[in-house]
Amino acid sequence: MVIDIKSMGYVRVASTDLAAWQLFAEKVLGLAAGRGPTEGNLYYRIDEVSARLIVFPSDVDELSATGWELADHAALQDAREHLSKAGVAFEEGTAEELAERRVQELVRFRDPFDNVFELFHGITYESRPVVTPYAAKFVTGIQGMGHIVVPVSDDVEALRFYRDVLGFALRDSMSMPGEFVGKPAGSKIWLRFLGVNPRHHSLAFLPMPNASKCVHIMLEVDKLDDVGRALERVRKYKAPLSATLGRHMNDEMVSFYVKSPAGFDIEFGCEGLQVDENRWVARESTAVSYWGHVFGGH
């Protein structure tokens, strides 16, 4: 038995500068401002779910937690039993935390690299249609909010944990020279891309720890024009471009990367690959992208 995660549900970000996030989320990314129970927090919608991105005041800038959606109480109870058998310590969400996230139940645990994961069910959704500032439509549904890439210190242990303990399926791999992260010359480190639904990957990891506890978060829109318009807003608002427009090999996403106020990147793209989970074959890609994606933004 593995945990039956359906999709990436939400992300929570700690911030020392909420005004910077407000400008970035609304003017650059074009997310819809939502409402929430905690005064002073920022809540953002991209679909019918009450909040997919929550930014709260803190003395640090980092990814605080990623929420993963399960079907119902029975699935979460199975997850509790599975985590216990796997020796993973977890804690129950408090009444205040459930109200803040607007979910019925959640459990929280840390992976072996101090990344915080929350498993939940019963999130609220709104009767009001989402109207984003620039009329972009985000690709969510059964594919969830998008994908996230987390930093790890051991790629072998990371694959074991996410695949064998959490139940993610390996979708693609890419190797990099080990010397990039201080390993001996001639050695390899592995980036792994893992999925739980038709989105090519919902979770990936890079064996290179960083202070913001996140490499990037990907948001997908349904039209190339909306990617282009977002890229123009990056220039207009002088947001730091991390990678130029390009098309990835593994998930075929046409996207660019922009640095968030928390220090990690947001990948903003379209045309992401959807896979048949029962017929997919995991392979090793030989490059990051077919074209573009010049990191450093030039």
Side-chain angles (χ1 to χ4, degrees):
M1 187 191 80
V2 293
I3 297 171
D4 189 14
I5 294 171
K6 297 298 187 187
S7 69
M8 176 174 149
Y10 58 78
V11 292
R12 295 180 58 80
V13 177
S15 174
T16 62
D17 189 344
L18 264 67
W21 263 103
Q22 192 165 16
L23 176 72
F24 180 73
E26 295 174 25
K27 299 297 188 185
V28 178
L29 301 180
L31 311 186
R35 293 172 294 194
T38 306
E39 190 175 348
N41 288 3
L42 300 175
Y43 300 90
Y44 289 104
R45 293 179 63 192
I46 58 174
D47 60 5
E48 71 278 6
V49 173
S50 298
R52 292 289 197 177
L53 168 66
I54 303 98
V55 186
F56 60 90
S58 175
D59 57 358
V60 294
D61 289 294
E62 64 183 25
L63 176 70
S64 173
T66 308
W68 299 93
E69 187 162 23
L70 277 59
D72 52 25
H73 168 76
L76 188 59
Q77 188 55 36
D78 287 344
R80 289 184 179 99
E81 294 173 13
H82 185 71
L83 290 171
S84 295
K85 284 178 185 170
V88 178
F90 62 88
E91 58 190 22
E92 298 290 333
T94 65
E96 292 78 16
E97 288 166 343
L98 299 182
E100 159 69 6
R101 290 153 180 77
R102 287 171 279 191
V103 301
Q104 292 180 25
E105 285 184 281
L106 78 83
V107 300
R108 181 189 305 101
F109 61 93
R110 293 175 184 270
D111 73 4
F113 318 100
D114 208 36
N115 300 305
V116 179
F117 288 73
E118 295 178 350
L119 305 178
F120 72 89
H121 76 87
I123 200 165
T124 62
Y125 60 105
E126 301 292 325
S127 60
R128 249 178 337 115
V130 65
V131 181
T132 60
Y134 305 104
K137 289 186 168 59
F138 288 84
V139 177
T140 58
I142 63 169
Q143 296 187 67
M145 176 185 178
H147 76 234
I148 191 160
V149 183
V150 295
V152 302
S153 55
D154 181 339
D155 51 359
V156 175
E157 172 60 14
L159 180 60
R160 183 202 72 81
F161 185 81
Y162 300 138
R163 182 187 60 193
D164 301 346
V165 177
L166 300 188
F168 285 85
L170 181 63
R171 295 278 167 80
D172 202 79
S173 300
M174 194 175 74
S175 66
M176 288 170 56
E179 48 264 44
F180 281 13
V181 294
K183 294 202 171 183
S187 64
K188 276 185 180 182
I189 56 169
W190 288 97
L191 287 74
R192 307 284 192 181
F193 303 84
L194 305 111
V196 287
N197 57 47
R199 192 181 292 282
H200 176 272
H201 59 278
S202 296
L203 174 70
F205 61 80
L206 177 70
M208 198 179 297
N210 70 43
S212 65
K213 296 191 172 183
C214 179
V215 180
H216 73 253
I217 295 166
M218 188 283 297
L219 300 174
E220 183 180 359
V221 290
D222 68 350
K223 290 188 179 71
L224 178 60
D225 285 347
D226 288 320
V227 177
R229 291 182 184 116
L231 194 49
E232 289 187 340
R233 297 193 301 269
V234 167
R235 190 178 300 114
K236 177 180 177 180
Y237 291 101
K238 298 180 170 56
L241 189 68
S242 300
T244 59
L245 192 70
R247 187 188 288 274
H248 281 306
M249 274 189 74
N250 58 13
D251 67 354
E252 301 179 9
M253 186 80 67
V254 177
S255 63
F256 65 85
Y257 291 71
V258 60
K259 192 168 290 296
S260 77
F264 56 76
D265 286 341
I266 300 293
E267 180 185 5
F268 197 96
C270 67
E271 300 181 9
L273 180 66
Q274 295 184 45
V275 307
D276 179 341
E277 300 173 73
N278 297 314
R279 301 180 65 84
W280 183 256
V281 176
R283 291 177 173 168
E284 179 186 350
S285 54
T286 53
V288 173
S289 305
Y290 287 118
W291 55 267
H293 286 141
V294 178
F295 282 85
H298 302 295

